[in-house]
Amino acid sequence: MDNNNNDLIAPITPEEVFAAHRGGKLSIKSSRPLTSKRDLSIAYSPGVAEACLAIKEDPARARELTGISRTVAVVSDGSAVLGLGNIGPHAALPVMEGKCQLFTTFADLNAIPIVLDVHSADEIVAAVTAIAPSVGAINLEDIAAPICFEVEQRLEESLNIPVFHDDQHGTAVVVTAGLANACRVTGRNLEDLRVVVSGAGAAGVACTRMLLESGVKDIVVLDSRGIVSQGRENLNPVKEKIAEVTNPRGLTGGPAEAFTGADAFIGVSRGHVGEELLQLMAPEPILFSLANPDPEIPVELANKYGSVVATGRSDLPNQVNNVLAFPGIFAGALAAGATHIAPAMKLAASKAIAACVGDDLAADFIMPSPLDPKVEPAVSKAVQEAARKEG
């Protein structure tokens, strides 16, 4: 596959989608043959008792004698499904099954979709904690902000396995990789950028924090009420913390004030950005409008003003897709025996993704293809190395 060719796909029909989903998209199969009584005796009774007792004696052997070291639970309450909103657990299940397909296809990990009919932080934390002994890692998915922040923090503190909210950190990893490569293409430095982040939910907050960690110094965050700034009334605790580390010029107001002189736009909201705002930006800005299916900036308008344009769509150049990140991040963390996924591991993943573009880097090719077979091994290796350095 030529990674410089952004393959166009024919329109997808409902009949095609239903046929692909009918009966579910996953299956569970035995990894060992069961063709004789001896096979049965080893796999189940009486032989299984040896494995059970060995784990009881030394719980760490569960990683050796069960599948948890290669198993991820993909957990959601269906309250914030990308592009669809709060559709509930049953309607979210096809998304979780699809996420599990990506884990198995790109990282050869076992993945189990779990949807929860509970929506408070206490209930979600209790449910995930109860099932945690069955798996080696937790992928939180499509849980609405601000609850998602509390859920992830509490689970990270209480569990001794990696917990990763992909809507936050997967998005942040690929956005940071893309912005680093966009800077290379345009001759800019991350440290010198003025960046506008539109959206102060899960993805916006995580992208902001990771961009700061990667060296960006001037970020202005916008929510539905304007610039997130210190002293603004009615900020929730998450936004209060973001206000403390962003907006170094002390801007107040709305989109016009935020966009004036900005070098880059990161859109992770359902908002709309018109031409009047783009005209306020610095010349040849970097434009990442990642809302799906309709980007915040109409494509024709983005191409008119942007030196580098990225979206979340697979039918356009520079797709910012989380599948570039999470399979390798989980594979690397599990292989390293990590108990959590530290910021250094996420930054290492981002740099590995950016490096996969190699010498093909161009304004319309700042991200590797999601189907590029080099990506997952590169990310996994980088995460393992970072995990070991972190101890």
Side-chain angles (χ1 to χ4, degrees):
M1 176 178 177
D2 184 351
N3 291 330
N4 285 296
N5 292 331
N6 292 278
D7 298 341
L8 297 178
I9 58 174
I12 300 169
T13 66
E15 292 78 11
E16 186 180 7
V17 172
F18 294 149
H21 286 73
R22 191 166 289 118
K25 296 177 292 198
L26 302 170
S27 64
I28 297 176
K29 296 181 179 179
S30 172
S31 63
R32 304 288 191 275
L34 298 176
T35 58
S36 68
K37 286 187 176 181
R38 185 173 185 83
D39 291 340
L40 292 173
S41 296
I42 292 172
Y44 199 53
S45 182
V48 70
E50 294 290 341
C52 295
L53 293 172
I55 294 169
K56 183 177 182 299
E57 183 71 23
D58 179 5
R61 294 198 71 187
R63 287 181 54 85
E64 170 198 354
L65 299 176
T66 74
I68 64 170
S69 64
R70 296 195 56 77
T71 302
V72 179
V74 178
V75 182
S76 179
D77 69 343
S79 61
V81 178
L82 182 64
L84 301 175
N86 185 0
I87 60 176
H90 275 116
L93 190 53
V95 178
M96 304 312 126
E97 288 188 354
K99 191 68 175 276
C100 292
Q101 281 185 298
L102 300 175
F103 272 114
T104 60
T105 300
F106 293 109
D108 193 29
L109 294 175
N110 302 316
I112 304 169
I114 298 174
V115 291
L116 304 174
D117 195 13
V118 295
H119 302 286
S120 73
D122 287 345
E123 291 173 310
I124 295 172
V125 168
V128 175
T129 300
I131 66 166
S134 300
V135 298
I138 304 290
N139 181 110
L140 299 173
E141 190 79 13
D142 295 342
I143 300 173
I147 285 176
C148 63
F149 301 113
E150 179 183 350
V151 167
E152 183 187 43
Q153 180 179 348
R154 288 172 59 183
L155 289 172
E156 282 188 329
E157 292 171 352
S158 62
L159 301 180
N160 65 345
I161 59 175
V163 177
F164 186 85
H165 186 204
D166 188 50
D167 302 312
Q168 292 184 61
H169 309 298
T171 304
V173 166
V174 292
V175 164
T176 302
L179 190 61
N181 276 348
C183 284
R184 288 175 57 201
V185 166
T186 59
R188 293 175 164 103
N189 296 311
L190 285 170
E191 295 81 2
D192 300 327
L193 290 182
R194 289 184 174 181
V195 178
V196 176
V197 174
S198 176
V205 168
C207 287
T208 298
R209 292 195 180 283
M210 188 160 187
L211 290 174
L212 290 169
E213 291 165 5
S214 68
V216 180
K217 292 181 171 59
D218 190 332
I219 302 178
V220 176
V221 179
L222 283 169
D223 66 6
S224 60
R225 297 179 57 239
I227 294 173
V228 176
S229 57
Q230 293 189 70
R232 202 186 87 179
E233 295 182 353
N234 300 318
L235 291 177
N236 65 39
V238 173
K239 292 182 183 180
E240 285 180 351
K241 291 180 180 179
I242 281 296
E244 292 172 0
V245 295
T246 59
N247 192 22
R249 288 171 284 140
L251 301 180
T252 58
E257 289 76 14
F259 274 78
T260 299
D263 301 292
F265 166 78
I266 309 294
V268 281
S269 70
R270 295 186 184 182
H272 175 77
V273 175
E275 188 164 14
E276 71 282 359
L277 291 176
L278 297 179
Q279 291 173 339
L280 297 174
M281 298 185 75
E284 299 185 336
I286 298 166
L287 303 175
F288 283 23
S289 42
L290 307 180
N292 264 319
D294 298 315
E296 291 90 346
I297 307 172
V299 175
E300 297 78 8
L301 200 57
N303 288 333
K304 176 181 177 181
Y305 284 90
S307 57
V308 177
V309 175
T311 72
R313 292 176 50 152
S314 60
D315 58 344
L316 295 171
N318 295 333
Q319 183 192 17
V320 177
N321 191 327
N322 288 18
V323 76
L324 292 166
F326 67 81
I329 289 174
F330 275 92
L334 287 168
T339 57
H340 69 285
I341 299 174
M345 296 160 69
K346 299 167 196 171
L347 195 57
S350 180
K351 291 179 179 179
I353 292 168
C356 284
V357 171
D359 294 336
D360 294 325
L361 180 68
D364 63 350
F365 188 61
I366 61 168
M367 305 296 296
S369 165
L371 300 176
D372 186 338
K374 300 190 302 293
V375 174
E376 187 278 330
V379 173
S380 177
K381 180 181 178 182
V383 169
Q384 287 183 61
E385 291 175 352
R388 288 171 180 138
K389 288 179 182 177
E390 290 283 301

